[in-house]
Amino acid sequence: MGVGGVTLAARGRVLQRTFSLYETHSLKDMEHYVNLVRNIVPAPSAKKHKGQDGRIGVVGGCQEYTGAPYFAAISALKVGADLVHVFCAREAAPVIKSYSPELIVHPILDSRDAAQEVEKWLPRLHSLVVGPGLGRDDLLLNSVGGILEVSKARGLPVVIDADGLWLVAQQPTLIQGYQKAVLTPNHIEFSRLWEAVIKGPMDTKDDSGCVLRLSQALGNVTVVRKGEQDLMSDGQQVLVCNQKGSSRRCGGQGDLLSGSLGVMAHWALLAGPERTDSISPLLVAAWGACTLTRECNQQAFQKHGRSTTTSDMITEVGAAFSKLFET
Ligand SMILES: NC(=O)C1=CN([C@@H]2O[C@H](COP(=O)(O)OP(=O)(O)OC[C@H]3O[C@@H](n4cnc5c(N)ncnc54)[C@H](O)[C@@H]3O)[C@@H](O)[C@H]2O)[C@@H](O)CC1
Ligand SMILES: Nc1ncnc2c1ncn2[C@@H]1O[C@H](COP(=O)(O)OP(=O)(O)OP(=O)(O)O)[C@@H](O)[C@H]1O
Ligand SMILES: [Mg+2]
C-alpha cells in the first residue's frame, strides 16, 4: 500500500498530513467528490441557447496523428459541450472532418500566423485543450507557444496534454504561475516535466508528494498524474481517483480524459469555489474527468474485453456520465 504525504493549506497555515492513499479514497470521500462534480454540471434548461454549456477548442492534429484530437474533441461534445473547434495542421483537417460532421475543423496550425488565427476565435471559446496529436514539429510547437500566450492573456482555462506537455517541458515559463492551466501527464510525461522543473531525483515511494511538489514548483498549476490510480494536485491538496477501470490500455484513453476535462474545467470555473466546498474547482473537474474516463473503460471492457478500443469507450460516455453524475 502506497503512502503519500499531502499538504493542506488551511486558514493561512500549512499542515502536513501523512496517510495511506487508499484511506483518502474512502466511500465517503468518493461520495463527497461525486456530489461536488454534480454541483458543477450545468442544469438542463429549455431557456439555454447553443453554446452556453461549452464552446471548447482542441489544438492538435498533424500528419501522423489525427485520432488523438478527434478523440479529445468528440469526448468534449459527448460530455456536454455544445460546440467544439479543432485547430490542426492542414493535412490533418480533411481526415478529422471525415471522422465526424459534428466537429468544426480549422486547418491553420501550420500557417505562419497560426497564433493570430486562433486568437480570433478565442473570444468565442470557454476553454482550450492543447496537445493531443500535435506532434513535435518546431513550427507547430512555436505556434502553440504563441497560442498559449494569447490564451493566458485572455484568462482562458487550458488543459495541456501529450505533445503540449512536451512543449511545456521545453519551456516551463509558458505556464509558470498560470492557475487556469491543468496538465495531464502520463507516466513518461510526468518524468519529463519533473526533470525540466524540479531537476532532482523523484521519490518513487511518494507519488502523491511528487504531484504536490510539481504543482507547487509550477506556481500552483493543477497537475493530474495518470496511472494505476490518478493523482491530482493544485499545490495545496492531492485528490486520488481509483475508480475501477480495466486492464485494457489501448491508446487514446488519455485523449478522452483531456477532452472531457476541457469542458468540465469550464463548468467548474463557472460554478466557482462556493459550489466545490473547499476544493479548487479545477481539482473537482479533474477528478470528475478521471472518474468518467475510468468508468467508460470499465463499461467498454465489460462488452468488448481485450478488443476494447477508445472508440468503444467514447460510446460509453453518455451512460457512464449519467450513472456517475446525473441526479
Ligand atoms: N490515435 C492517435 O492518433 C493517438 C495519438 N496519440 C498521440 O501520440 C503522440 C505521442 O504520445 P505518447 O503518449 O506516445 O507520448 P511519448 O511519445 O512521449 O511516449 C510515451 C511513451 O511512454 C509509454 N508509457 C506510457 N505510460 C507508461 C508507463 N506507465 N510506463 C512505461 N511507459 C509508459 C508509452 O507506451 C509511450 O510509448 C501524442 O501527440 C499523442 O496525443 C496518443 O494520444 C494515442 C492515440
Ligand atoms: N494501470 C492503470 N489502471 C487503470 N487505469 C489506468 C491505468 N493507467 C492509466 N489508466 C487510466 O487511463 C486513462 C489514460 O491514462 P494513460 O496513462 O493511458 O494516458 P496516455 O498515455 O496519455 O493515453 P493516450 O494513449 O491517450 O496518450 C486515465 O484515466 C487513467 O486513469
Ligand atoms: Mg497521452
Side-chain angles (χ1 to χ4, degrees):
M1 186 180 286
V3 173
V6 174
T7 308
L8 297 167
R11 296 191 192 91
R13 280 191 318 129
V14 177
L15 306 172
Q16 184 69 33
R17 180 153 81 108
T18 303
F19 49 68
S20 151
L21 289 179
Y22 291 96
E23 280 167 31
T24 68
H25 203 71
S26 68
L27 202 56
K28 205 163 142 248
D29 282 335
M30 198 174 152
E31 274 170 20
H32 182 53
Y33 300 151
V34 164
N35 282 330
L36 295 183
V37 177
R38 287 180 180 157
N39 280 351
I40 66 161
V41 176
S45 159
K47 304 263 179 269
K48 280 188 186 161
H49 61 76
K50 178 183 72 178
Q52 229 174 325
D53 278 348
R55 297 185 294 268
I56 313 299
V58 174
V59 178
C62 63
Q63 192 182 18
E64 291 90 346
Y65 305 123
T66 54
Y70 162 77
F71 290 145
I74 202 76
S75 300
L77 262 182
K78 285 190 176 282
V79 164
D82 289 338
L83 292 164
V84 181
H85 295 250
V86 179
F87 302 94
C88 61
R90 180 160 294 278
E91 280 171 298
V95 184
I96 298 171
K97 284 176 203 258
S98 73
Y99 295 152
S100 169
E102 10 246 357
L103 302 176
I104 302 160
V105 184
H106 307 264
I108 47 106
L109 215 48
D110 44 0
S111 69
R112 226 179 309 144
D113 53 354
Q116 290 94 309
E117 288 290 321
V118 175
E119 189 178 14
K120 285 186 208 158
W121 286 93
L122 295 188
R124 303 192 206 180
L125 298 180
H126 295 120
S127 70
L128 276 188
V129 180
V130 176
L134 178 63
R136 293 179 192 165
D137 176 88
D138 281 342
L139 175 74
L140 260 60
L141 292 177
N142 196 37
S143 296
V144 171
I147 292 167
L148 285 175
E149 295 292 2
V150 292
S151 303
K152 279 193 301 185
R154 296 194 67 86
L156 204 67
V158 284
V159 175
I160 306 183
D161 187 30
D163 300 314
L165 295 171
W166 172 267
L167 174 63
V168 168
Q170 315 301 309
Q171 296 178 54
T173 50
L174 274 174
I175 51 100
Q176 181 73 40
Y178 186 57
Q179 290 175 12
K180 285 190 180 171
V182 185
L183 312 185
T184 55
N186 64 20
H187 181 77
I188 302 290
E189 291 158 347
F190 187 87
S191 304
R192 235 180 247 136
L193 287 168
W194 184 272
E195 272 167 38
V197 177
I198 309 282
K199 300 186 179 86
M202 205 189 297
D203 181 354
T204 50
K205 293 204 181 90
D206 185 10
D207 289 346
S208 179
C210 289
V211 182
L212 179 80
R213 201 170 146 205
L214 182 63
S215 171
Q216 287 172 344
L218 286 166
N220 295 87
V221 166
T222 300
V223 177
V224 181
R225 183 182 189 175
K226 300 175 289 191
E228 193 171 346
Q229 42 182 10
D230 298 326
L231 296 166
M232 57 220 79
S233 178
D234 62 347
Q236 297 197 317
Q237 281 179 282
V238 180
L239 301 196
V240 184
C241 171
N242 47 19
Q243 175 77 14
K244 189 169 184 296
S246 81
S247 52
R248 180 72 171 125
R249 299 268 66 80
C250 54
Q253 301 182 31
D255 307 315
L256 195 166
L257 171 59
S258 60
S260 318
L261 184 48
V263 62
M264 290 171 99
H266 161 57
W267 291 347
L269 290 170
L270 197 64
E274 59 281 4
R275 308 271 304 160
T276 57
D277 204 5
S278 57
I279 302 176
S280 98
L282 288 179
L283 268 190
V284 171
W287 191 88
C290 289
T291 304
L292 178 71
T293 305
R294 294 166 76 104
E295 176 65 24
C296 289
N297 182 261
Q298 194 203 353
Q299 288 185 194
F301 190 78
Q302 277 168 359
K303 292 182 188 165
H304 306 283
R306 67 183 303 119
S307 79
T308 300
T309 61
T310 297
S311 297
D312 298 322
M313 287 171 58
I314 287 168
T315 306
E316 301 298 325
V317 167
F321 192 97
S322 297
K323 180 178 161 191
L324 292 165
F325 304 130
E326 232 111 53
T327 43

